[in-house]
Amino acid sequence: MVSYDFSGKVAFVTGAAHGQGRSHAQHYARHGADVVVTDVGENLDHVPYDMGTTDELEETARIVEDEGQDVLAIQMDVREEERVEAAVDQALEEFGRIDILANNAGIWPMADLVEMDEALWDVVIDTVLKGVWLCSKHVGQHFIDRGDGGKIVSTSSTAGLVGAPGAGHYVAGKHGVIGLTKTLALELAEYDVNVNAVCPTALDSPGMNNYIETYGPEMLEEMGEMTGPMNVFEPGEMIEEQDISEAYMWLSSDAARYVTGIALPVDAGATAK
């Protein structure tokens, strides 16, 4: 594991109840940051699998504390601007600053585009795209007001680079995250803010396991048949949460000070074809 120094910094992580978000929060703490962990903390209409819970969010908070750092846990829905703004204000009241925004929250209920109802489209787009914008808007305004830089890292996906059958809403949202990232990188450059995205392939996480339990492993197999293997090193195998967290740490560090506006694939060669 590469060592970074985030001492004196505060990271704000969305979708932190479990999975990638919990891993990111723990990694930031391990490298010296205090952490704000947020999650919707309840199931959503039109999403047929279980979301992260408030109990899991509190467990993430305990993990951060076990790393020796201060933590603030907030139940927050990234789709609702009032709740996002209130969470950012609460974080600033608690810590006085935010230095890193980790836009991780996401969902992936499946449906073919010609059969999808509008409500399903909306809940996915509002979570994976609008949520990134709202969090970036309010933390980004803090970066501008404070005037000494900041980092925004957002989770796109290999589905932000290619198509994926049964996931057109998710694909559209994750492509949108990349466009949003590039535009924010240009708009915030004068304030010394780096804005980047990470594009993971399929990874072994609670969210993916819930997905497989709901839709069956054959859904991933069918995608693989159409788009090629999601892991060229070990076909059929998923990567680990820490692989994405390490990319987050680098993009959040001074080592990547001249890296902005990119969509970094951590995809085990899935998009190399």
Side-chain angles (χ1 to χ4, degrees):
M1 182 178 67
V2 179
S3 179
Y4 301 102
D5 185 4
F6 296 138
S7 300
K9 296 187 181 298
V10 177
F12 188 106
V13 184
T14 70
H18 58 209
Q20 292 181 68
R22 175 178 287 180
S23 177
H24 300 343
Q26 183 175 22
H27 276 71
Y28 282 123
R30 188 170 292 163
H31 294 293
D34 295 327
V35 188
V36 181
V37 294
T38 75
D39 202 279
V40 68
E42 60 189 13
N43 288 340
L44 301 179
D45 291 341
H46 310 291
V47 179
Y49 53 80
D50 288 333
M51 306 290 291
T53 67
T54 53
D55 286 345
E56 288 178 308
L57 185 63
E58 291 299 329
E59 176 61 24
T60 299
R62 286 190 289 272
I63 289 170
V64 170
E65 289 176 332
D66 287 345
E67 296 288 347
Q69 298 303 127
D70 291 334
V71 64
L72 173 65
I74 304 173
Q75 186 176 2
M76 181 194 81
D77 190 334
V78 297
R79 301 173 299 164
E80 299 177 16
E81 182 162 18
E82 287 186 0
R83 295 181 67 178
V84 171
E85 185 175 15
V88 171
D89 288 345
Q90 187 178 349
L92 294 176
E93 183 177 350
E94 177 74 16
F95 292 114
R97 62 187 296 131
I98 298 169
D99 300 277
I100 301 161
L101 169 61
N103 284 312
N104 168 78
I107 54 173
W108 188 11
M110 290 197 69
D112 289 345
L113 283 170
V114 298
E115 299 173 354
M116 185 183 302
D117 63 39
E118 185 177 3
L120 180 58
W121 172 274
D122 287 346
V123 72
V124 172
I125 294 296
D126 284 355
T127 301
V128 305
L129 182 56
K130 179 184 175 183
V132 171
W133 164 59
L134 287 176
C135 293
S136 299
K137 173 183 176 179
H138 288 282
V139 175
Q141 188 60 58
H142 166 63
F143 290 159
I144 292 171
D145 293 343
R146 200 180 68 220
D148 62 351
K151 308 284 186 180
I152 299 175
V153 187
S154 303
T155 299
S156 179
S157 170
T158 53
L161 302 171
V162 299
H169 45 3
Y170 184 82
V171 169
K174 291 301 189 178
H175 273 72
V177 168
I178 294 175
L180 183 65
T181 293
K182 290 179 180 294
T183 302
L184 278 170
L186 298 176
E187 292 182 352
L188 296 179
E190 65 178 292
Y191 304 102
D192 198 25
V193 177
N194 300 73
V195 188
N196 293 291
V198 178
C199 298
T201 187
L203 71 154
D204 187 6
S205 68
M208 180 59 75
N209 291 333
N210 285 342
Y211 173 87
I212 292 171
E213 183 176 343
T214 301
Y215 297 107
E218 65 275 5
M219 301 303 296
L220 288 179
E221 294 170 6
E222 290 174 7
M223 284 188 184
E225 290 173 0
M226 295 186 71
T227 63
M230 298 181 183
N231 183 338
V232 301
F233 296 108
E234 300 173 278
E237 297 296 319
M238 293 185 283
I239 66 174
E240 298 179 4
E241 295 161 355
Q242 67 182 28
D243 297 312
I244 311 306
S245 294
E246 288 295 338
Y248 259 78
M249 296 307 106
W250 177 63
L251 290 171
S252 301
S253 76
D254 290 338
R257 64 189 180 127
Y258 288 126
V259 179
T260 199
I262 72 163
L264 175 66
V266 185
D267 66 353
T271 59
K273 302 174 288 296

